[in-house]
Amino acid sequence: MPIDPYIVVLLGTVGLAALLPARGTAADVASGASTAAIAFLFFLYGARLSTREALDGLKHWRLHSTVLICTFVLFPVFGLAARGLVPALLTQPLYQGLLFLTLVPSTIQSSIAFTSIARGNVPAAICAGSFSSLVGIVVTPLLAAVLLGGDDVGFSTDSLVKIVLQLLVPFLAGQVLRRWIGSFVTRHKKVLGLVDRGSILLVVYTAFSEGMNQGIWHQVSPVRLAGLLGVEAVLLAVMLVLTWYGARALGFGREDRIAIQFAGSKKSLASGLPMASVLFAGHASLAVLPLMLFHQMQLMVCAVIAKRRARDPEAAPDAPEETADASGGTGNPSEGSAAHPVQGQPQDRVLR
């Protein structure tokens, strides 16, 4: 199964934060830079997303509602059920990170890539992931306040406003300015993709530097990490099964079921990281660790599933690939900038 090279760099960033954490003034500079970088990242996502495709996607409300229910209802239910694994298998901080993982929005870029490879409904995957990301900007903090609570989660009206200002406002600004800069963003999508990756790396470095400064790494042992991986593997398997067979029970066709499975079983690293940095503050490093592990796991497993789906007898071998606004309409507040893949070909660098 493929290992995304970006994940190797991501883990290297964690190692750098462990060896050379930012402290004092450097920590303040890194925090401000990461906030600005994420805001700019979401501005670019807004400039890429085709408003026309988003509006057209509203017509397929049953599919989008199904993805939202999987993302913000079923996932949190399983997250709450995992509370019974504390303290036998998970520590309380790791469980909080796992529960937070179940609350973040779905991805879009990887959902698009895998839906395309599997010959599914690509426009539906684009819209479903986009709607999930926008809804999650408000719903995820509210769910975190209700389900997590306590002193470890700094939820308040100010924190919600901060998340909206950092994620939603830049995204809407990109949508407004798309008319003038959309073509520029499309032409330079590969160069601007470095902003996507660099922004996430900067947020990861800042969060884990803060964790080192707080001295929280003694709470994690190899045995606990192995237990966390096992729990996440079960969670991913259950959601993949439910999204596929549940969508069939609801009467969706094959192409729609593929979009529901890939959009409804994933969690976004790009949206989750900045939210965690706001909600968890000094505890953000442990809070995002389960999300980082789940992110790589979902990419590896879904890459295999997508290739198998492409060989299904039901798949139309000559079906043309559908895109949204070429490459400029596939970006959104939960994904990276990797280009939409050619149908039937694997995506080597699918992000977030």
Side-chain angles (χ1 to χ4, degrees):
M1 293 192 295
I3 297 178
D4 189 345
Y6 185 74
I7 294 299
V8 178
V9 179
L10 204 61
L11 295 177
T13 303
V14 175
L16 178 63
L19 295 174
L20 298 172
R23 293 188 172 94
T25 304
D28 294 336
V29 172
S31 178
S34 64
T35 299
I38 288 295
F40 183 56
L41 171 64
F42 275 67
F43 172 79
L44 292 178
Y45 289 155
R48 291 174 190 153
L49 179 62
S50 168
T51 305
R52 177 184 57 81
E53 288 288 346
L55 294 177
D56 290 345
L58 290 174
K59 301 175 183 178
H60 211 347
W61 63 269
R62 286 184 65 243
L63 185 148
H64 304 318
S65 299
T66 302
V67 172
L68 290 176
I69 290 173
C70 291
T71 303
F72 297 115
V73 178
L74 293 183
F75 257 114
V77 167
F78 290 126
L80 290 173
R83 188 183 299 274
L85 302 176
V86 179
L89 193 60
L90 301 174
T91 63
Q92 183 63 23
L94 286 180
Y95 167 70
Q96 287 189 319
L98 178 67
L99 183 55
F100 175 73
L101 146 72
T102 65
L103 308 181
V104 302
S106 174
T107 65
I108 187 167
Q109 187 64 49
S110 56
S111 298
I112 294 170
F114 294 135
T115 299
S116 175
I117 293 170
R119 307 180 192 277
N121 190 337
V122 176
I126 295 171
C127 296
S130 300
F131 297 153
S132 175
S133 299
L134 295 176
V135 169
I137 291 175
V138 175
V139 171
T140 297
L142 294 177
L143 287 176
V146 173
L147 301 182
L148 286 167
D151 296 332
D152 291 333
V153 180
F155 177 82
S156 64
T157 303
D158 290 341
S159 64
L160 179 58
V161 170
K162 186 175 181 180
I163 290 174
V164 170
L165 290 176
Q166 187 178 1
L167 306 184
L168 181 58
V169 172
F171 174 80
L172 294 178
Q175 280 279 284
V176 171
L177 296 177
R178 172 181 167 76
R179 176 180 178 182
W180 296 279
I181 66 174
S183 59
F184 175 84
V185 172
T186 300
R187 290 195 306 270
H188 298 85
K189 59 182 180 296
K190 292 184 179 180
V191 176
L192 295 176
L194 297 176
V195 177
D196 297 36
R197 300 165 184 246
S199 300
I200 298 302
L201 293 177
L202 188 55
V203 174
V204 169
Y205 176 75
T206 303
F208 279 87
S209 290
E210 184 65 25
M212 289 298 298
N213 295 335
Q214 296 292 330
I216 60 175
W217 283 108
H218 66 277
Q219 302 178 34
V220 184
S221 67
V223 174
R224 296 294 190 183
L225 284 178
L228 175 63
L229 284 171
V231 172
E232 292 189 339
V234 172
L235 175 63
L236 178 60
V238 169
M239 289 305 301
L240 286 170
V241 170
L242 284 179
T243 50
W244 181 252
Y245 291 102
R248 184 164 68 180
L250 291 174
F252 288 101
R254 178 188 177 277
E255 293 185 355
D256 287 347
R257 295 202 308 269
I258 290 174
I260 290 172
Q261 183 177 52
F262 289 130
S265 63
K266 290 189 178 61
K267 291 295 180 176
S268 170
L269 189 64
S271 293
L273 284 178
M275 290 182 185
S277 65
V278 172
L279 296 175
F280 291 90
H283 303 282
S285 54
L286 280 183
V288 301
L289 182 60
L291 180 58
M292 289 177 59
L293 296 175
F294 189 83
H295 168 252
Q296 175 60 16
M297 187 183 299
Q298 70 187 13
L299 294 185
M300 295 170 65
V301 173
C302 289
V304 174
I305 293 176
K307 293 174 186 176
R308 292 179 63 89
R309 292 269 184 264
R311 296 193 294 268
D312 286 347
E314 299 177 70
D318 297 323
E321 180 184 1
E322 298 182 68
T323 61
D325 189 37
S327 58
T330 61
N332 77 96
S334 68
E335 290 304 309
S337 64
H340 184 64
V342 177
Q343 182 176 356
Q345 294 181 359
Q347 175 81 352
D348 293 329
R349 294 185 179 180
V350 180
L351 304 182
R352 294 170 289 291

